[in-house]
Amino acid sequence: MKTGLVLEGGAMRGMYTAGVLDVLMENDIHFDGIIGASAGAVFGVNYLSKQNGRVIRYNCRFNRDRNYMGIKCLLRTGDFFNTEYAYYRVPKELDIFDDETYMSSGVPFYAVVTDVKTGQPVYMKVESVLRDMEILRASASMPFASKPVKIGHRAYLDGGVSDSIPFEKFSEMGYTKQVVILTRDMTYRKKPMNKLLIKSFYGKYPEFCDSLQNRHAVYNDSVEKLVKLEEKGEAFVIRPSEPITISRTERDPEKLRQVYELGRKDAENRLNELKQFMFQEGNSTTVYLVRHAQPNYDNHNDEERELTEKGMKDRQLVTKYLSDKNIDVVLSSPYKRAIDTVKDFADKNLLDIKIIPDLRERKIDSCWIEDFKSFAMRQWEDFDFKLSDGESLNEVQKRTIGALNEIIHTYTGKNIVIGGHGTAISTMINYYDRSFGYEGFESIRCLLPFIAKLTFIEDKCTGIEIIDLFKEK
């Protein structure tokens, strides 16, 4: 089943879409295909170029420039947005669009345009943003404020005229699971446009006039269909939690940013729901990676190092936290301190502990080192660095993730406890979240014990949570 992302237009209301997309980008949410109309297309391409923050940045920077957009441009050129400035100079020189990353994404992107002669929607694939800029310009060329854009032998205007929310077309194209981002709140329904105004501008294009006159009915019908799909769980819709009241041609950077931040807030509030929707067909597996309690550092035998008296007491924090988590299986590194940390919980719940050798802690060297902090920093700076008889973090990560993948495959749909170690666990977190580096490791280094909760849908990690057991007390 292919998952599609559908983006409504709305001119500067598209700052809402930009906020939502930046949150999805930050959380590595991926789609098999994307389709957008009008501003949804123009702003949406930045999702595939992975340019977080670019949309809000360049709009706040240029919208007040009357050479970029405004009545001056409209009177001089027939377009509210200066074609050369907005569509070519900005992405090529002033706030460069990363077309190479866009093209290498491998994700097809479609822009909706409206054929002026037929009044019907046309769905054009944008292979390269910089080469196919006229497609995007046509998609976002607002009626009454833009000249038709010629592509080949045809002329086009705003895709939102004929298909504002192209979820039905995307379903026909095979994207049967869809995430839809709207720029109108739940209560909004479109009203009819002035027929005299339409005919005065586009009288020589009768089919286009019909599309404009029927636009409200088509739009409202699409919204009703989408609501029904949403209720049946067949579509996931992110819409503004409050009405967006800015002008379609808003210039004020503060107002633009407020709409952007609303998009971010709404996306963040529904992120877990979205992840569940994206991966709902698979089985959910929860892994609790338990870092051992305080060990006796006077014992330099890594495999046999026992817990201190405090460590034996603090392992009760693990038992307490896990008591209501419906744990199905307990696994552990072969090292004594890891086993003993989860043993109290396992014994009280009549669960055996299965030993997984590849979950052992990173080997530092054949001898003890005193300046562990400097050594750890060096390893996090260079994942291939190791001492003569030790392991690099790359090697540790490779074996621990290999073991974890096997565990998830074996115990799919179960709640799993794994007794482990600070560095080994940290490399696993880093594998799924590359932003977790030395600073993240330092933040948990002195937590003995702590728990990292990892949630998986099939083999995809959909959530990571660090639990400070001392704050849970």
Side-chain angles (χ1 to χ4, degrees):
M1 179 181 292
K2 292 196 294 185
T3 302
L5 175 64
V6 180
L7 307 174
E8 182 185 13
M12 289 305 130
R13 291 196 311 275
M15 292 306 105
Y16 179 85
T17 300
V20 174
L21 292 181
D22 282 353
V23 170
L24 301 191
M25 202 184 308
E26 291 159 10
N27 286 274
D28 293 323
I29 305 295
H30 302 288
F31 300 91
D32 298 311
I34 303 176
I35 190 168
S38 194
V42 172
F43 299 151
V45 293
N46 293 272
Y47 191 72
L48 295 185
S49 67
K50 299 181 180 179
Q51 289 176 279
N52 191 306
R54 180 176 181 269
V55 174
I56 185 64
R57 182 177 65 239
Y58 78 75
N59 279 278
C60 285
R61 178 181 173 188
F62 296 112
N63 278 19
R64 279 188 168 175
D65 186 341
R66 298 192 182 279
N67 292 315
Y68 177 80
M69 60 178 273
I71 298 299
K72 179 181 176 181
C73 295
L74 181 62
L75 294 176
R76 189 174 69 244
T77 68
D79 289 306
F80 191 85
F81 286 87
N82 183 320
T83 297
E84 184 60 33
Y85 195 162
Y87 288 97
Y88 290 94
R89 191 177 172 204
V90 168
K92 288 186 175 182
E93 300 174 18
L94 303 178
D95 197 322
I96 295 173
F97 180 82
D98 188 350
D99 205 28
E100 184 176 345
T101 297
Y102 172 90
M103 290 187 290
S104 66
S105 71
V107 178
F109 189 103
Y110 300 88
V112 187
V113 298
T114 301
D115 188 309
V116 173
K117 186 175 182 179
T118 66
Q120 296 300 305
V122 179
Y123 307 91
M124 296 187 173
K125 189 175 183 181
V126 181
E127 302 280 2
S128 158
V129 168
L130 297 184
R131 287 201 310 267
D132 297 333
M133 188 61 77
E134 290 298 276
I135 295 175
L136 295 172
R137 189 166 76 86
S139 184
S141 288
M142 298 181 291
F144 314 111
S146 309
K147 295 183 300 185
V149 177
K150 290 186 177 180
I151 301 174
H153 299 293
R154 310 290 291 188
Y156 303 96
L157 279 171
D158 195 332
V161 171
S162 53
D163 196 354
S164 296
I165 317 169
F167 64 93
E168 291 182 285
K169 179 62 178 181
F170 226 28
S171 181
E172 291 176 12
M173 295 169 68
Y175 298 91
T176 50
K177 174 178 273 190
Q178 298 185 21
V179 175
V180 183
I181 302 176
L182 302 181
T183 58
R184 292 292 194 181
D185 67 281
M186 187 69 168
T187 64
Y188 177 80
R189 295 298 183 272
K190 199 176 286 294
K191 297 178 181 179
M193 297 176 67
N194 186 299
K195 292 184 179 181
L196 290 177
L197 178 66
I198 292 172
K199 288 185 177 181
S200 68
F201 271 81
Y202 300 109
K204 64 179 181 179
Y205 301 114
E207 286 81 5
F208 188 73
C209 286
D210 288 344
S211 291
L212 282 172
Q213 290 171 9
N214 295 325
R215 186 182 184 189
H216 68 288
V218 173
Y219 179 87
N220 295 340
D221 182 60
S222 290
V223 170
E224 295 300 330
K225 289 179 180 178
L226 192 57
V227 168
K228 291 179 181 178
L229 289 177
E230 188 179 14
E231 290 173 348
K232 291 192 292 185
E234 296 177 10
F236 188 93
V237 182
I238 300 176
R239 55 171 65 82
S241 55
E242 59 189 66
I244 295 176
T245 58
I246 65 169
S247 163
R248 290 170 61 84
T249 56
E250 185 61 61
R251 295 176 177 276
D252 188 337
E254 182 56 34
K255 291 181 180 179
L256 294 174
R257 186 160 289 281
Q258 287 174 1
V259 174
Y260 171 81
E261 292 297 338
L262 176 64
R264 288 193 62 91
K265 183 189 77 170
D266 289 349
E268 288 167 351
N269 287 342
R270 301 198 62 200
L271 195 57
N272 288 334
E273 290 179 71
L274 174 60
K275 289 179 178 179
Q276 290 174 10
F277 172 81
M278 293 282 287
F279 305 111
Q280 65 187 359
E281 289 157 339
N283 291 312
S284 175
T285 305
T286 303
V287 178
Y288 297 92
L289 299 172
V290 181
R291 196 264 184 100
H292 60 77
Q294 186 186 76
N296 175 18
Y297 289 113
D298 290 333
N299 182 352
H300 292 182
N301 185 320
D302 212 21
E303 296 183 33
E304 297 299 326
R305 189 174 305 130
E306 73 279 11
L307 298 181
T308 63
E309 184 177 343
K310 181 180 186 307
M312 293 295 283
K313 179 181 178 181
D314 287 343
R315 71 179 183 171
Q316 298 294 329
L317 298 174
V318 174
T319 300
K320 180 181 177 181
Y321 176 82
L322 295 174
S323 63
D324 61 351
K325 302 301 185 290
N326 299 314
I327 302 302
D328 298 294
V329 60
V330 180
L331 313 171
S332 180
S333 151
Y335 292 2
K336 180 174 174 57
R337 59 190 182 278
I339 296 170
D340 285 350
T341 300
V342 297
K343 189 175 188 304
D344 181 69
F345 170 79
D347 288 349
K348 288 180 178 178
N349 289 273
L350 304 178
L351 293 168
D352 293 330
I353 300 175
K354 182 177 180 180
I355 303 302
I356 309 295
D358 279 343
L359 294 175
R360 66 190 181 276
E361 181 60 307
R362 170 266 330 270
K363 184 179 180 181
I364 296 176
D365 202 357
S366 55
C367 59
W368 184 263
I369 64 168
E370 296 296 336
D371 189 0
F372 176 79
K373 185 174 182 179
S374 296
F375 167 75
M377 183 182 298
R378 176 80 182 275
Q379 281 211 306
W380 280 96
E381 289 174 349
D382 179 1
F383 251 48
D384 290 316
F385 172 75
K386 61 181 178 181
L387 299 179
S388 59
D389 196 28
E391 286 183 292
S392 69
L393 295 190
N394 258 335
E395 291 170 331
V396 176
Q397 187 178 76
K398 183 176 180 179
R399 66 169 165 79
T400 55
I401 290 298
L404 184 58
N405 285 338
E406 182 65 28
I407 290 166
I408 293 168
H409 177 75
T410 302
Y411 300 105
T412 298
K414 303 295 186 181
N415 296 320
I416 306 164
V417 167
I418 296 177
H421 308 268
T423 299
I425 291 173
S426 293
T427 63
M428 286 189 268
I429 296 173
N430 169 267
Y431 180 82
Y432 298 109
D433 178 6
R434 293 299 183 185
S435 68
F436 187 95
Y438 177 72
E439 289 184 2
F441 172 73
E442 265 300 302
S443 71
I444 56 87
R445 186 168 63 87
C446 295
L447 292 179
L448 297 154
F450 79 86
I451 292 177
K453 177 184 175 183
L454 276 60
T455 305
F456 294 85
I457 304 297
E458 296 181 345
D459 61 346
K460 296 180 180 179
C461 183
T462 59
I464 299 175
E465 180 183 1
I466 305 295
I467 294 104
D468 184 341
L469 295 171
F470 296 94
K471 291 182 178 178
E472 293 277 325
K473 288 197 296 185

